[in-house]
Amino acid sequence: MANNVTGLTRIIKAAGYSWQGLRAAWQHEAAFRQEAVAALIAIIVACWLEVEPVTRVLLIGSVVLVIIVEVLNSAIEAVVDRIGSELHPLAGRAKDMGSAAVLLAILLAIFVWLALLLPLLR
């Protein structure tokens, strides 16, 4: 039977699944927990700083992007692990590329913070 959930019910169910995904990331992924704590600290700092609203949005957005990419990376790793435990070059490549995406997001966040805050220190 097809799932005929629509409208507000669908949105509520989707939000529940999203919340389950965040809980799973927190419970099972140490990197997610570390990055989430770092992001929370960064968001607090960004809100505390006396900067223009656009600057604040860029500072916060860059660290939230790290969290988003980490969730996607964790999902990739979970799917690869589910498929099998044997070593396979494609499985390793998928995991390495997911990890590279997280690294790029972190480097972007560092660049954004330095580019926006260093001029304020001069």
Side-chain angles (χ1 to χ4, degrees), residues 3 8 22 31 38 42 57 75 80 82 99:
N3 186 353
L8 184 59
L22 288 172
V57 167
V80 168
R82 169 63 176 93
S99 180

Side-chain angles (χ1 to χ4, degrees), residues 23-98:
R23 285 188 58 205
W26 182 266
Q27 290 174 346
H28 301 287
E29 300 295 332
F32 176 83
R33 289 190 299 273
Q34 294 164 352
E35 291 161 356
V37 169
L40 180 61
I41 293 167
I43 290 167
I44 291 168
V45 169
C47 290
W48 175 76
L49 292 170
E50 293 184 23
V51 294
E52 296 292 320
V54 171
T55 299
R56 185 170 288 112
V57 167
L58 290 170
L59 294 173
I60 293 171
S62 67
V63 295
V64 171
L65 179 64
V66 173
I67 299 303
I68 293 168
V69 175
E70 181 59 48
V71 169
L72 293 171
N73 179 49
S74 296
I76 291 168
E77 289 182 352
V79 169
V80 168
D81 291 345
R82 169 63 176 93
I83 291 171
S85 61
E86 71 280 352
L87 295 178
H88 190 281
L90 291 177
R93 187 185 314 163
K95 287 185 170 190
D96 290 347
M97 289 172 18

